[in-house]
Amino acid sequence: MPTEFISVTFPNASTELNPLENPALDPQFIERYARSLDDYGFNYTLIPYDSASFDPFTIGATVAAHTKNIKIIIALRPNTIYPTVAAKSLATLDQLSGGRVVVHFIAGGSDEEQAKEGDFLDKHQRYERQEEYIRILRRVWQSSEPFDFDGRYYQFKQFHSRVRPVNGTIPVSVGGSSDDAYRIGGELADIFGLWGEPLAETKQQIDRIHAEAARAGRKDRPRIWVTFRPIVAETDELAWAKAHRTLDLLKENRAKGLGKVPPTAPSPQNAGSQRLLEIASRGDVHDRALWYPTVTATNARGASTALVGSPRTIADSILDYVDLGADLISIRGYDNLNDAIDYGRYILPLVRADLVERERPQQAVA
């Protein structure tokens, strides 16, 4: 399959650089943002989940109503909705969108965040529950007859759904950097999500996922999704100046209590964030243009590694990851809407043109 691009849909104009205080849902902003992603050729948009934020299913339906092509990735924490209900909700949205839904599972990287919604399982148990959840969804979507399920975390009898996905099933995405994440994603995921690490570390993770897929007896492999936060300007020099202004604002907002995490937040529990902070301790710049001070400035909260440079530099950096085996590239900035437009105008066309050019010698030989 061709290399595809992912963005993130936000519920309003608040950004990490200009955070608004208690911003409300802004339907006009969502419509404009979603249409921009569609118009500029993004393939997917992630609808994120947070215990204190808006419902991804409702936002996803809004995006679907205002777009024609972009696929909608619903972030889902298994503790928040029973799997039989989720199976129907996802399939309903899939029908409404004409088969454009993907589900991305979040097992939960913070005990404190999980406890806010009544989830007190430990990390290993959360991944066990996620495994059951994925198996239930797939069976619901594919089963023509009522069935029972008697697992450790879910039990029900004679469930059957008449709500089927357009294409018979819905792609499942899993992310993480722990042994449990690699095992479950390697065995069950259609897509496996990684945060932007240096090329060598990313290759190690991809190899691990492929090994787990082979161990599970799969003949295929999960598609690899890698996430970056590009900081782009006309030249490399201007981009680096912009990057340092961005970093100053991230630090300033966090010190004021306006960042994603408070200034006194403890070290993160999840393996992915711990990996990012360890890599950050080794240096600021890795490979061509992978920049890590944004990781430490945000305590590695979520996707936080930047690519800095001109459109050509960032396109070349993305192609390095494509060469490693990344099928899906997630790029979102710090000035959400304007960055998405810049990526669509200047970066996506460069990457796609280079990929087409690479195919020409092979086509000539064939």
Side-chain angles (χ1 to χ4, degrees), residues 231 238-248 250 291 294 306 308:
I231 299 173
L238 289 172
W240 281 108
K242 180 179 177 181
H244 286 286
R245 292 195 302 271
T246 297
L247 182 63
D248 289 344
L250 290 173
W291 197 49
T294 48
V308 180

Side-chain angles (χ1 to χ4, degrees), residues 29-167:
F29 178 85
I30 295 172
E31 178 180 349
R32 183 184 176 197
Y33 193 94
R35 284 183 170 169
S36 295
L37 297 180
D38 221 25
D39 290 344
Y40 283 107
F42 282 86
N43 305 98
Y44 300 81
T45 185
L46 172 67
I47 317 294
Y49 186 88
D50 181 85
S51 64
S53 195
F54 302 100
D55 170 51
F57 282 90
T58 311
I59 294 175
T62 303
V63 171
H66 293 293
T67 56
K68 296 179 180 179
N69 301 307
I70 198 161
K71 293 173 182 158
I72 299 138
I73 306 173
I74 301 294
L76 178 60
R77 288 184 184 165
N79 61 295
T80 61
I81 181 170
Y82 203 75
T84 54
V85 179
K88 293 183 293 182
S89 297
L90 289 163
T92 299
L93 182 56
D94 194 61
Q95 289 193 22
L96 285 171
S97 66
R100 290 189 281 141
V101 169
V102 177
V103 58
H104 177 66
F105 279 99
I106 305 169
S110 164
D111 292 344
E112 180 182 3
E113 171 70 5
Q114 294 301 119
K116 290 177 180 178
E117 295 186 294
D119 185 15
F120 298 98
L121 299 182
D122 64 31
K123 183 178 178 181
H124 178 69
Q125 290 170 327
R126 292 198 291 266
Y127 273 104
E128 285 185 329
R129 177 180 60 192
Q130 180 174 282
E131 181 176 359
E132 282 192 13
Y133 206 106
I134 294 169
R135 294 186 187 281
I136 290 168
L137 291 190
R138 289 231 172 97
R139 190 163 178 191
V140 169
W141 293 329
Q142 296 168 2
S143 178
S144 60
E145 300 294 334
F147 67 94
D148 300 344
F149 191 87
D150 186 19
R152 180 175 180 182
Y153 300 96
Y154 301 105
Q155 304 85 35
F156 52 83
K157 291 186 178 295
Q158 294 299 287
F159 179 77
H160 178 247
S161 174
R162 295 189 301 273
V163 188
R164 298 303 182 87
V166 171
N167 298 307

Side-chain angles (χ1 to χ4, degrees), residues 282-327:
R282 294 189 246 141
D284 288 352
V285 182
H286 302 262
D287 303 321
R288 289 181 192 268
L290 188 64
W291 197 49
Y292 263 70
T294 48
V295 170
T296 52
T298 57
N299 200 33
R301 170 68 185 272
S304 51
T305 47
L307 291 173
V308 180
S310 66
R312 181 71 267 168
T313 296
I314 290 178
D316 287 341
S317 298
I318 288 171
L319 288 164
D320 289 338
Y321 287 87
V322 172
D323 290 339
L324 280 187
D327 309 281

